[in-house]
Amino acid sequence: MTATTAYPIGTPGQAWNPADVAAWRTRQVPQRSYADDVLCALQLLRPRFEVLPYGEVVYGDERYPLFAVCPEPWLAGLPGVLVTGGVHGYETSGVHGALQFLAQHAQAYAGRVNLLVAPCVSPWAYERIHRWNFDAVDPNRSFKDPSPAQEAAALMRLVQPLRGQFAAHMDLHETTDTDESEYRPAKAARDGEPFVPGTIPDGFYLVDDTDNPQPAFQQAIISAVERVTHIAPTDDQGEIIGSPAVDRGVIRYALRELGLCASITGARFTTTTEVYPDSPRATPAQCNTAQATAVCAALDYVLAQP
């Protein structure tokens, strides 16, 4: 899917000013409820797991409490695993896949790993089904100090005392058709750059770390997920979403340099999952299950290491 029309906000060739951001913001209206979809689901988990408040996102009169789930007390000597979802609020299965993992699978790892799960990092954007936050800032380019995004800053504060104790971090994402029809045109307009149409890969893929590649870890996840949904093929240039494929269903980004969420723990094993919910070959339930399956595969891989 491609988009060729000019974005309706801003002046071509000029980065957005505050008035442009305000105009963009008026177009972002709530379409679903963080309280109903996420906070109620967390409430159901409380009898089994500890649900920890770790901050609050505040935009004007709107306040969004942030929570992480710690299934068991943190025990010295066990590998830590961080699972994050909803860094981009519109990527639905990242949120619901993390919640599904907690509800259906987390207890199977009791006593073997230290789990910390933040299922919805960006609640304002979750409600508006958008990538950016209130300030038209991408939280997943904001995991740096100082952070321009409240959402990223809060998660970094949660993780900081535990840095050095994580073996793995799974950051759950989606690539959707709106990446091409809305997000990338909006980003080009916001930054005063021309929009060059691209293509959306049909299927699941992973983003490894250029500075710390772990190909066996990535392929263990690919092998597990392909039992649930299909793996994205490369395009005619051997690329997936503009990046060279380094293995089946795997590309690499410089996580820390780009300020991506998967860089924040310093873990040996990190990945960003990407499902494709707009595929005619996938359903929302499959996408949620693919995310939960990816987390389980990562945990199994970590536990198999010496």
Side-chain angles (χ1 to χ4, degrees), residues 71-97:
E72 292 212 319
W74 202 268
L75 298 176
L78 296 183
V81 177
L82 176 65
V83 180
T84 46
V87 173
H88 289 147
Y90 71 130
E91 297 173 5
T92 305
S93 71
V95 176
H96 294 281

Side-chain angles (χ1 to χ4, degrees), residues 81-85 94 98 101 115-119 168-172 295 299:
V81 177
L82 176 65
V83 180
T84 46
F101 165 76
L115 274 170
L116 184 64
V117 181
H169 178 186
M170 300 289 293
D171 191 28
L172 310 182
V295 175
L299 288 166

Side-chain angles (χ1 to χ4, degrees), residues 66-295:
L66 298 169
F67 292 95
V69 179
C70 189
E72 292 212 319
W74 202 268
L75 298 176
L78 296 183
V81 177
L82 176 65
V83 180
T84 46
V87 173
H88 289 147
Y90 71 130
E91 297 173 5
T92 305
S93 71
V95 176
H96 294 281
L99 291 170
Q100 180 171 317
F101 165 76
L102 284 167
Q104 298 181 6
H105 304 289
Q107 285 187 315
Y109 296 93
R112 297 192 290 161
V113 296
N114 290 321
L115 274 170
L116 184 64
V117 181
C120 190
V121 173
S122 191
W124 185 92
Y126 175 82
E127 292 200 331
R128 288 151 180 86
I129 313 182
H130 208 283
R131 183 183 183 100
W132 294 342
N133 69 8
F134 177 90
D135 298 314
V137 169
D138 186 340
N140 206 34
R141 297 297 184 276
S142 303
F143 288 91
K144 54 187 71 175
D145 191 22
S147 175
Q150 294 183 39
E151 300 83 357
L155 186 64
M156 288 191 294
R157 287 194 297 271
L158 172 69
V159 168
Q160 180 58 38
L162 299 171
R163 276 186 61 86
Q165 300 181 47
F166 288 101
H169 178 186
M170 300 289 293
D171 191 28
L172 310 182
H173 284 253
E174 294 181 346
T175 301
T176 75
D177 284 346
T178 60
D179 284 17
E180 191 68 13
S181 63
E182 164 62 24
Y183 159 62
R184 292 187 64 247
K187 181 179 183 297
R190 183 197 66 182
D191 298 342
E193 298 173 349
F195 169 55
V196 180
T199 58
I200 300 297
D202 183 356
F204 180 93
Y205 65 99
L206 296 171
V207 182
D208 196 2
D209 187 358
T210 301
D211 297 325
N212 177 36
Q214 297 291 339
F217 175 66
Q218 311 299 330
Q219 285 306 305
I221 298 169
I222 291 288
S223 295
V225 170
E226 69 178 337
R227 296 193 289 270
V228 176
T229 191
H230 58 292
I231 306 305
T234 59
D235 61 19
D236 293 341
Q237 287 72 48
E239 297 180 338
I240 298 175
I241 206 163
S243 294
V246 296
D247 208 337
R248 181 168 177 254
V250 181
I251 61 175
R252 288 179 185 150
Y253 285 172
L255 303 184
R256 184 174 298 280
E257 179 183 338
L258 292 172
L260 302 185
C261 182
S263 71
I264 64 174
T265 62
R268 177 183 177 189
F269 301 110
T270 62
T271 199
T272 302
T273 66
E274 297 283 356
V275 302
Y276 179 46
D278 297 314
S279 173
R281 302 167 59 190
T283 66
Q286 274 181 291
C287 291
N288 294 344
T289 299
Q291 302 281 25
T293 299
V295 175

